[in-house]
Amino acid sequence: MMNNKLPKEQETFNEETISALNEVDEMRKHPEQYPSYTSVDTMFDTLLKEDTSK
């Protein structure tokens, strides 16, 4: 019988995923420390400027 659940060993996260989830929690707790954007174009402009300065 199929039950649409993953096997128990599939329900655990690897270290990279746990780290990403912790980062999101931190961003939610302190949103003032992270940039926010009201426009995708502005976000990409900012990201691309930062990328070329490296």
Side-chain angles (χ1 to χ4, degrees):
M1 179 182 278
M2 304 263 311
N3 63 9
N4 294 335
K5 286 192 172 188
L6 294 173
K8 194 66 168 171
E9 62 272 2
Q10 295 284 327
E11 292 180 11
T12 59
F13 298 116
N14 64 29
E15 288 183 32
E16 184 177 5
T17 301
I18 292 170
S19 177
L21 292 170
N22 288 338
E23 184 177 4
V24 169
D25 285 342
E26 183 66 21
M27 292 172 82
R28 286 182 178 161
K29 289 177 186 173
H30 304 286
E32 72 283 352
Q33 296 178 5
Y34 301 93
S36 63
Y37 304 95
T38 57
S39 160
V40 172
D41 292 330
T42 304
M43 179 188 70
F44 276 115
D45 287 344
T46 302
L47 292 172
L48 293 173
K49 285 177 187 172
E50 288 177 6
D51 192 30
T52 59
S53 66
K54 292 180 181 179

